[in-house]
Amino acid sequence: MEPGLYSWYECVRINLNPKTGEAKLVKIFYIPLLDEHKPEDEPLTEAAALEAAGFYPQLDQNLEKLESITIKKVVTVPDCVNSSNRSKVSRISWMIEYHEKESEDYIAGGGVKYVDYYTGEVIGCDIFK
């Protein structure tokens, strides 16, 4: 794993009693990172990840409808129907979080899309209103 990139899927969570120091809960998460790219494989740029997720920065047609859009590199577990090895492995991906503009006659929503860092496949998504 590279510096600054953290996986919640490979960690140990420990809850301690603050008075006694006694361990109350220990939970181990282990969903290993599947990093099967070859050394010559180039990672997607942020712009390519936006396009793979259905946003086209060069056209600005989708982006003008949005209040905000954030993109960052994360580790996630694939959860879309067409992804193989669902929840058995985690992947490095671009997380694209977007929020729509709200108006008097429109209640804004948004969502999150996860795009595989090397293949460009959309491997996860969530919509929120």
Side-chain angles (χ1 to χ4, degrees), residues 36-107:
E36 58 190 13
H37 79 280
K38 299 173 188 77
E40 64 272 10
D41 289 346
E42 291 289 322
L44 263 63
T45 63
E46 289 184 13
L50 285 168
E51 284 188 30
F55 300 102
Y56 301 96
Q58 70 277 17
L59 299 178
D60 282 338
Q61 65 189 32
N62 291 4
L63 298 179
E64 67 188 23
K65 299 174 186 174
L66 299 178
E67 181 74 30
S68 67
I69 190 163
T70 306
I71 183 168
K72 69 179 183 176
K73 190 174 164 183
V74 299
V75 176
T76 192
V77 172
D79 68 356
C80 284
V81 176
N82 62 350
S83 294
S84 59
N85 296 325
R86 182 179 177 183
S87 75
K88 295 178 186 170
V89 295
S90 58
R91 306 287 294 251
I92 297 174
S93 65
W94 286 109
M95 180 189 78
I96 302 166
E97 183 175 337
Y98 57 96
H99 299 273
E100 300 170 333
K101 292 180 183 175
E102 194 160 317
S103 65
E104 290 180 15
D105 59 344
Y106 182 73
I107 298 173

Coordinates of all heavy atoms in Angstrom, one line a residue, residues 36-107:
E36 N -3.8 -6.6 -9.3 CA -3.3 -7.5 -10.3 C -2.8 -6.8 -11.5 O -2.6 -7.4 -12.6 CB -4.5 -8.5 -10.7 CG -5.7 -7.8 -11.2 CD -6.9 -8.7 -11.4 OE1 -6.8 -9.9 -10.9 OE2 -7.8 -8.3 -12.0
H37 N -2.6 -5.5 -11.4 CA -2.1 -4.7 -12.6 C -0.6 -5.1 -12.9 O 0.1 -5.5 -12.0 CB -2.3 -3.2 -12.4 CG -1.2 -2.6 -11.5 ND1 -1.3 -2.6 -10.2 CD2 -0.1 -1.9 -11.8 CE1 -0.3 -2.0 -9.7 NE2 0.5 -1.5 -10.6
K38 N -0.2 -5.0 -14.1 CA 1.1 -5.2 -14.5 C 2.0 -4.0 -14.4 O 1.4 -2.9 -14.4 CB 1.1 -5.7 -16.0 CG 0.4 -7.0 -16.2 CD 0.3 -7.3 -17.7 CE -0.7 -8.4 -18.0 NZ -2.1 -8.0 -17.9
P39 N 3.3 -4.1 -14.2 CA 4.1 -2.9 -14.0 C 4.0 -1.9 -15.2 O 4.1 -0.7 -14.9 CB 5.5 -3.4 -14.0 CG 5.4 -4.9 -13.6 CD 4.1 -5.3 -14.1
E40 N 3.7 -2.3 -16.4 CA 3.5 -1.4 -17.5 C 2.1 -0.8 -17.6 O 1.9 0.2 -18.4 CB 3.9 -2.1 -18.8 CG 2.9 -3.2 -19.2 CD 3.3 -4.6 -18.7 OE1 4.2 -4.7 -17.8 OE2 2.7 -5.5 -19.1
D41 N 1.2 -1.2 -16.8 CA -0.2 -0.6 -16.8 C -0.1 0.8 -16.2 O 0.5 1.0 -15.1 CB -1.1 -1.5 -15.9 CG -1.5 -2.8 -16.6 OD1 -1.2 -3.0 -17.8 OD2 -2.0 -3.7 -15.9
E42 N -0.8 1.7 -16.9 CA -0.9 3.1 -16.5 C -2.2 3.3 -15.7 O -3.2 2.9 -16.2 CB -0.8 4.0 -17.7 CG 0.5 4.0 -18.4 CD 1.6 4.7 -17.5 OE1 1.3 5.7 -16.9 OE2 2.7 4.3 -17.5
P43 N -2.1 3.9 -14.5 CA -3.4 4.3 -13.8 C -4.2 5.3 -14.6 O -3.6 6.1 -15.4 CB -2.9 4.8 -12.5 CG -1.5 5.2 -12.7 CD -0.9 4.4 -13.8
L44 N -5.5 5.3 -14.4 CA -6.4 6.3 -15.0 C -6.1 7.6 -14.4 O -5.8 7.8 -13.2 CB -7.8 5.9 -14.7 CG -8.6 5.2 -15.8 CD1 -8.0 3.8 -16.0 CD2 -10.1 5.1 -15.4
T45 N -6.2 8.6 -15.3 CA -6.1 10.0 -14.8 C -7.4 10.4 -14.1 O -8.4 9.7 -14.4 CB -5.8 11.0 -15.9 OG1 -6.9 10.9 -16.8 CG2 -4.5 10.7 -16.6
E46 N -7.5 11.5 -13.4 CA -8.8 11.9 -12.8 C -9.8 12.2 -13.9 O -11.0 11.8 -13.8 CB -8.6 13.1 -12.0 CG -7.9 12.8 -10.7 CD -7.8 14.1 -9.8 OE1 -8.5 15.1 -10.0 OE2 -7.0 14.0 -8.8
A47 N -9.4 12.8 -15.0 CA -10.3 13.1 -16.1 C -10.8 11.8 -16.8 O -12.0 11.7 -17.1 CB -9.5 13.9 -17.2
A48 N -10.0 10.8 -16.9 CA -10.4 9.5 -17.5 C -11.4 8.8 -16.6 O -12.4 8.2 -17.0 CB -9.2 8.6 -17.8
A49 N -11.1 8.9 -15.3 CA -12.0 8.3 -14.3 C -13.4 9.0 -14.3 O -14.4 8.4 -14.2 CB -11.4 8.4 -12.9
L50 N -13.4 10.3 -14.4 CA -14.7 11.1 -14.6 C -15.5 10.6 -15.8 O -16.7 10.4 -15.7 CB -14.4 12.6 -14.6 CG -14.0 13.2 -13.3 CD1 -13.5 14.6 -13.5 CD2 -15.2 13.3 -12.3
E51 N -14.8 10.5 -16.9 CA -15.5 10.0 -18.1 C -16.0 8.6 -18.0 O -17.1 8.3 -18.4 CB -14.5 10.0 -19.3 CG -14.3 11.4 -19.8 CD -13.5 11.5 -21.1 OE1 -13.6 10.5 -21.9 OE2 -12.8 12.4 -21.3
A52 N -15.2 7.7 -17.3 CA -15.7 6.3 -17.1 C -17.0 6.3 -16.2 O -17.8 5.4 -16.4 CB -14.6 5.5 -16.5
A53 N -17.1 7.3 -15.3 CA -18.2 7.3 -14.4 C -19.4 8.1 -15.1 O -20.5 8.2 -14.4 CB -17.8 8.0 -13.1
G54 N -19.2 8.6 -16.3 CA -20.3 9.3 -17.0 C -20.3 10.8 -16.9 O -21.3 11.4 -17.3
F55 N -19.2 11.4 -16.4 CA -19.0 12.8 -16.4 C -18.0 13.2 -17.5 O -17.0 12.5 -17.6 CB -18.5 13.3 -15.0 CG -19.5 12.9 -13.9 CD1 -19.2 11.8 -13.1 CD2 -20.6 13.6 -13.7 CE1 -20.0 11.5 -12.0 CE2 -21.5 13.3 -12.6 CZ -21.2 12.2 -11.8
Y56 N -18.3 14.2 -18.2 CA -17.5 14.6 -19.3 C -17.0 16.0 -19.1 O -17.6 17.0 -19.6 CB -18.2 14.4 -20.7 CG -18.6 13.0 -20.9 CD1 -19.9 12.6 -20.5 CD2 -17.8 12.0 -21.3 CE1 -20.3 11.3 -20.7 CE2 -18.2 10.7 -21.5 CZ -19.5 10.4 -21.1 OH -19.9 9.1 -21.3
P57 N -15.8 16.2 -18.4 CA -15.3 17.5 -18.1 C -15.1 18.4 -19.3 O -15.4 19.6 -19.3 CB -14.0 17.2 -17.4 CG -14.0 15.8 -17.0 CD -14.9 15.1 -18.0
Q58 N -14.7 17.8 -20.5 CA -14.5 18.7 -21.7 C -15.8 19.2 -22.2 O -15.8 20.2 -22.9 CB -13.7 17.9 -22.7 CG -14.4 16.8 -23.4 CD -14.4 15.5 -22.7 OE1 -14.2 15.4 -21.5 NE2 -14.8 14.4 -23.4
L59 N -16.9 18.6 -22.0 CA -18.2 19.1 -22.5 C -18.9 20.0 -21.5 O -19.8 20.8 -21.9 CB -19.1 17.9 -22.8 CG -18.6 17.0 -23.9 CD1 -19.6 15.8 -24.1 CD2 -18.4 17.7 -25.2
D60 N -18.7 19.8 -20.2 CA -19.3 20.6 -19.1 C -20.8 20.4 -19.1 O -21.4 21.1 -18.3 CB -18.9 22.1 -19.2 CG -17.5 22.3 -18.7 OD1 -17.0 21.5 -17.9 OD2 -17.0 23.4 -19.1
Q61 N -21.4 19.6 -19.9 CA -22.9 19.5 -19.9 C -23.4 18.8 -18.6 O -24.4 19.2 -18.1 CB -23.4 18.7 -21.1 CG -22.9 17.3 -21.2 CD -23.3 16.7 -22.5 OE1 -23.3 17.3 -23.5 NE2 -23.6 15.4 -22.5
N62 N -22.7 17.8 -18.1 CA -23.1 17.2 -16.8 C -22.7 18.0 -15.6 O -23.4 18.0 -14.6 CB -22.6 15.7 -16.7 CG -23.2 14.8 -17.7 OD1 -24.0 15.2 -18.5 ND2 -22.9 13.5 -17.7
L63 N -21.5 18.5 -15.7 CA -20.9 19.2 -14.5 C -21.6 20.5 -14.2 O -21.7 20.8 -13.0 CB -19.4 19.4 -14.8 CG -18.6 18.2 -15.0 CD1 -17.1 18.6 -15.2 CD2 -18.7 17.3 -13.8
E64 N -22.3 21.2 -15.1 CA -22.9 22.4 -14.8 C -24.2 22.2 -14.0 O -24.7 23.1 -13.3 CB -23.3 23.2 -16.1 CG -24.3 22.5 -16.9 CD -24.5 23.2 -18.3 OE1 -23.6 23.9 -18.7 OE2 -25.6 23.0 -18.9
K65 N -24.7 20.9 -13.9 CA -25.9 20.6 -13.1 C -25.5 20.3 -11.7 O -26.4 20.1 -10.8 CB -26.6 19.4 -13.7 CG -27.1 19.6 -15.1 CD -27.7 18.4 -15.7 CE -28.1 18.6 -17.1 NZ -28.5 17.3 -17.7
L66 N -24.2 20.2 -11.4 CA -23.7 19.8 -10.1 C -23.3 21.0 -9.2 O -22.8 21.9 -9.7 CB -22.6 18.8 -10.2 CG -22.8 17.6 -11.0 CD1 -21.6 16.7 -11.1 CD2 -23.9 16.7 -10.3
E67 N -23.6 20.8 -7.9 CA -23.2 21.8 -6.9 C -21.7 21.6 -6.6 O -20.9 22.5 -6.6 CB -24.0 21.6 -5.6 CG -23.6 22.5 -4.5 CD -24.1 23.9 -4.7 OE1 -25.2 24.1 -5.4 OE2 -23.5 24.9 -4.3
S68 N -21.3 20.3 -6.5 CA -19.9 20.0 -6.2 C -19.6 18.6 -6.7 O -20.4 17.7 -6.8 CB -19.5 20.1 -4.7 OG -20.2 19.1 -4.0
I69 N -18.3 18.4 -7.0 CA -17.8 17.0 -7.4 C -16.4 16.9 -6.8 O -15.6 17.8 -6.8 CB -17.8 16.8 -8.9 CG1 -17.5 15.4 -9.2 CG2 -16.9 17.8 -9.6 CD1 -17.9 15.0 -10.6
T70 N -16.2 15.8 -6.1 CA -14.9 15.5 -5.5 C -14.4 14.2 -6.0 O -15.2 13.2 -6.1 CB -15.1 15.4 -3.9 OG1 -15.7 16.6 -3.5 CG2 -13.8 15.2 -3.2
I71 N -13.1 14.1 -6.3 CA -12.5 12.8 -6.7 C -11.2 12.6 -5.9 O -10.4 13.5 -5.7 CB -12.2 12.8 -8.2 CG1 -11.7 11.5 -8.7 CG2 -11.3 14.0 -8.6 CD1 -11.6 11.3 -10.2
K72 N -11.1 11.3 -5.4 CA -9.9 11.0 -4.7 C -9.7 9.5 -4.8 O -10.6 8.7 -5.0 CB -10.0 11.4 -3.2 CG -10.9 10.7 -2.3 CD -10.9 11.2 -0.9 CE -11.8 10.5 0.0 NZ -11.7 10.9 1.4
K73 N -8.4 9.1 -4.6 CA -8.0 7.7 -4.6 C -8.3 7.0 -3.3 O -7.9 7.5 -2.3 CB -6.5 7.7 -5.0 CG -6.0 6.4 -5.3 CD -4.5 6.6 -5.7 CE -3.7 5.3 -5.8 NZ -2.3 5.5 -6.1
V74 N -9.0 5.8 -3.4 CA -9.4 5.1 -2.2 C -9.3 3.6 -2.4 O -9.1 3.2 -3.5 CB -10.8 5.4 -1.7 CG1 -11.0 6.9 -1.4 CG2 -11.8 5.0 -2.8
V75 N -9.4 2.8 -1.3 CA -9.6 1.4 -1.4 C -11.0 1.1 -1.1 O -11.6 1.6 -0.2 CB -8.7 0.7 -0.4 CG1 -8.9 -0.8 -0.4 CG2 -7.2 1.0 -0.7
T76 N -11.7 0.3 -2.0 CA -13.1 -0.1 -1.8 C -13.3 -1.5 -2.2 O -12.5 -2.2 -2.8 CB -14.0 0.8 -2.7 OG1 -15.3 0.7 -2.3 CG2 -13.8 0.6 -4.1
V77 N -14.5 -2.0 -1.8 CA -14.9 -3.4 -2.1 C -15.9 -3.3 -3.3 O -16.9 -2.5 -3.2 CB -15.5 -4.1 -0.9 CG1 -16.1 -5.4 -1.4 CG2 -14.5 -4.3 0.2
P78 N -15.6 -4.0 -4.4 CA -16.6 -3.9 -5.5 C -18.0 -4.4 -5.1 O -18.1 -5.3 -4.4 CB -16.0 -4.9 -6.5 CG -14.6 -5.0 -6.2 CD -14.5 -4.8 -4.7
D79 N -19.0 -3.6 -5.5 CA -20.4 -4.0 -5.1 C -21.4 -3.9 -6.2 O -22.6 -4.1 -6.0 CB -20.8 -3.1 -3.9 CG -21.0 -1.7 -4.2 OD1 -20.8 -1.3 -5.3 OD2 -21.5 -1.0 -3.3
C80 N -21.0 -3.6 -7.4 CA -21.9 -3.6 -8.5 C -22.2 -5.0 -9.0 O -21.4 -5.9 -8.8 CB -21.4 -2.7 -9.7 SG -21.5 -1.0 -9.4
V81 N -23.3 -5.2 -9.6 CA -23.8 -6.5 -10.0 C -22.8 -7.2 -10.9 O -22.6 -8.4 -10.8 CB -25.2 -6.4 -10.7 CG1 -25.6 -7.7 -11.2 CG2 -26.2 -5.8 -9.7
N82 N -22.2 -6.4 -11.8 CA -21.3 -7.1 -12.8 C -19.9 -7.3 -12.3 O -19.1 -7.8 -13.1 CB -21.3 -6.3 -14.1 CG -20.7 -4.9 -13.9 OD1 -20.5 -4.4 -12.8 ND2 -20.5 -4.2 -15.0
S83 N -19.6 -6.9 -11.1 CA -18.2 -7.1 -10.6 C -18.0 -8.5 -10.1 O -18.9 -9.0 -9.4 CB -17.9 -6.1 -9.5 OG -17.9 -4.8 -9.9
S84 N -16.9 -9.1 -10.4 CA -16.6 -10.5 -9.9 C -16.0 -10.4 -8.6 O -15.5 -9.3 -8.2 CB -15.7 -11.2 -10.9 OG -14.5 -10.5 -11.1
N85 N -15.9 -11.5 -7.9 CA -15.3 -11.6 -6.5 C -15.9 -10.6 -5.6 O -15.2 -10.0 -4.7 CB -13.8 -11.4 -6.6 CG -13.1 -12.4 -7.4 OD1 -13.5 -13.6 -7.4 ND2 -12.1 -12.1 -8.2
R86 N -17.2 -10.3 -5.6 CA -17.9 -9.4 -4.8 C -17.5 -9.7 -3.3 O -17.7 -10.7 -2.8 CB -19.4 -9.4 -5.0 CG -20.1 -8.4 -4.1 CD -21.5 -8.4 -4.4 NE -22.2 -7.5 -3.5 CZ -23.4 -7.3 -3.4 NH1 -24.2 -8.0 -4.1 NH2 -23.9 -6.4 -2.5
S87 N -17.0 -8.7 -2.6 CA -16.7 -8.6 -1.2 C -15.6 -9.7 -0.8 O -15.4 -9.9 0.4 CB -17.9 -8.7 -0.3 OG -18.5 -10.0 -0.3
K88 N -15.0 -10.3 -1.7 CA -13.9 -11.2 -1.4 C -12.5 -10.5 -1.5 O -11.6 -11.0 -0.9 CB -13.9 -12.4 -2.3 CG -15.1 -13.3 -2.1 CD -15.1 -14.4 -3.1 CE -16.4 -15.2 -3.0 NZ -16.6 -16.2 -4.1
V89 N -12.5 -9.4 -2.2 CA -11.3 -8.6 -2.4 C -11.6 -7.2 -2.4 O -12.7 -6.8 -2.7 CB -10.5 -9.0 -3.7 CG1 -10.1 -10.4 -3.7 CG2 -11.4 -8.7 -4.9
S90 N -10.6 -6.4 -2.1 CA -10.8 -4.9 -2.2 C -9.9 -4.4 -3.4 O -9.0 -5.1 -3.9 CB -10.4 -4.2 -0.9 OG -9.1 -4.5 -0.6
R91 N -10.2 -3.2 -3.9 CA -9.5 -2.7 -5.1 C -9.1 -1.3 -4.9 O -9.8 -0.5 -4.1 CB -10.4 -2.8 -6.3 CG -11.1 -4.1 -6.7 CD -10.1 -5.1 -7.3 NE -9.6 -4.7 -8.6 CZ -9.9 -5.3 -9.7 NH1 -10.8 -6.3 -9.7 NH2 -9.3 -4.9 -10.8
I92 N -8.1 -0.8 -5.5 CA -7.8 0.6 -5.5 C -8.7 1.2 -6.6 O -8.8 0.7 -7.7 CB -6.3 0.8 -5.9 CG1 -5.4 0.2 -4.8 CG2 -6.0 2.3 -6.0 CD1 -3.9 0.3 -5.1
S93 N -9.3 2.4 -6.2 CA -10.2 3.0 -7.2 C -10.2 4.5 -7.0 O -9.7 5.0 -6.0 CB -11.6 2.4 -7.0 OG -12.1 2.8 -5.7
W94 N -10.8 5.2 -8.0 CA -11.1 6.6 -7.8 C -12.5 6.7 -7.3 O -13.5 6.0 -7.8 CB -11.1 7.3 -9.2 CG -9.8 7.5 -9.8 CD1 -9.2 6.8 -10.9 CD2 -8.8 8.4 -9.4 NE1 -8.0 7.3 -11.1 CE2 -7.7 8.3 -10.2 CE3 -8.8 9.4 -8.3 CZ2 -6.5 9.1 -10.1 CZ3 -7.6 10.2 -8.2 CH2 -6.5 10.0 -9.0
M95 N -12.7 7.4 -6.2 CA -14.0 7.7 -5.6 C -14.5 9.0 -6.1 O -13.8 10.0 -5.9 CB -14.0 7.7 -4.1 CG -15.4 8.0 -3.5 SD -15.4 8.3 -1.7 CE -14.8 9.9 -1.7
I96 N -15.6 9.1 -6.8 CA -16.2 10.3 -7.3 C -17.5 10.6 -6.6 O -18.4 9.8 -6.7 CB -16.4 10.2 -8.9 CG1 -15.1 9.9 -9.6 CG2 -17.0 11.5 -9.4 CD1 -15.3 9.4 -11.0
E97 N -17.5 11.6 -5.8 CA -18.7 12.0 -5.0 C -19.2 13.3 -5.6 O -18.5 14.2 -5.8 CB -18.3 12.2 -3.5 CG -19.5 12.5 -2.7 CD -19.2 12.6 -1.2 OE1 -18.2 12.1 -0.8 OE2 -20.0 13.3 -0.5
Y98 N -20.5 13.3 -5.9 CA -21.1 14.4 -6.5 C -22.4 14.8 -5.8 O -23.1 14.0 -5.2 CB -21.4 14.2 -8.0 CG -22.2 13.0 -8.3 CD1 -23.6 13.1 -8.5 CD2 -21.7 11.7 -8.3 CE1 -24.4 12.1 -8.7 CE2 -22.5 10.6 -8.6 CZ -23.9 10.8 -8.8 OH -24.7 9.7 -9.0
H99 N -22.7 16.1 -5.8 CA -23.9 16.7 -5.2 C -24.6 17.6 -6.3 O -23.9 18.4 -6.9 CB -23.6 17.5 -4.0 CG -23.0 16.6 -2.9 ND1 -23.7 15.9 -2.0 CD2 -21.7 16.4 -2.6 CE1 -22.9 15.3 -1.2 NE2 -21.6 15.5 -1.6
E100 N -25.9 17.4 -6.5 CA -26.6 18.2 -7.4 C -26.9 19.6 -6.8 O -27.0 19.8 -5.6 CB -27.9 17.5 -7.8 CG -27.6 16.2 -8.5 CD -28.9 15.4 -8.7 OE1 -29.9 15.6 -7.9 OE2 -28.9 14.5 -9.6
K101 N -27.2 20.5 -7.7 CA -27.7 21.9 -7.3 C -29.2 21.8 -6.9 O -29.9 21.1 -7.6 CB -27.5 22.9 -8.4 CG -26.1 23.2 -8.8 CD -26.0 24.2 -9.9 CE -24.6 24.5 -10.2 NZ -24.5 25.4 -11.4
E102 N -29.5 22.4 -5.9 CA -30.9 22.5 -5.4 C -31.6 23.7 -5.9 O -30.9 24.8 -6.0 CB -31.0 22.4 -3.9 CG -32.4 22.0 -3.4 CD -32.4 21.5 -2.0 OE1 -31.5 20.6 -1.7 OE2 -33.2 21.9 -1.2
S103 N -32.8 23.7 -6.2 CA -33.6 24.9 -6.6 C -35.0 24.8 -5.9 O -35.3 23.9 -5.2 CB -33.7 24.9 -8.1 OG -34.5 23.8 -8.6
E104 N -35.8 25.8 -6.2 CA -37.1 25.9 -5.6 C -38.0 24.7 -5.9 O -38.8 24.2 -5.2 CB -37.8 27.2 -5.9 CG -37.2 28.4 -5.3 CD -37.9 29.7 -5.7 OE1 -39.1 29.6 -6.2 OE2 -37.4 30.7 -5.5
D105 N -37.8 24.2 -7.2 CA -38.7 23.1 -7.6 C -37.9 21.8 -7.8 O -38.5 20.9 -8.4 CB -39.3 23.5 -9.0 CG -38.3 23.8 -10.0 OD1 -37.1 24.0 -9.7 OD2 -38.7 23.9 -11.2
Y106 N -36.7 21.7 -7.2 CA -36.0 20.4 -7.4 C -35.2 20.2 -6.1 O -34.5 21.0 -5.6 CB -35.0 20.5 -8.5 CG -34.2 19.3 -8.7 CD1 -34.8 18.2 -9.3 CD2 -32.9 19.2 -8.4 CE1 -34.1 17.0 -9.5 CE2 -32.1 18.0 -8.6 CZ -32.7 16.9 -9.1 OH -32.0 15.8 -9.3
I107 N -35.5 19.0 -5.5 CA -34.7 18.6 -4.3 C -33.5 17.9 -4.8 O -33.5 16.9 -5.5 CB -35.6 17.6 -3.4 CG1 -36.8 18.4 -2.9 CG2 -34.7 17.1 -2.2 CD1 -37.8 17.5 -2.2

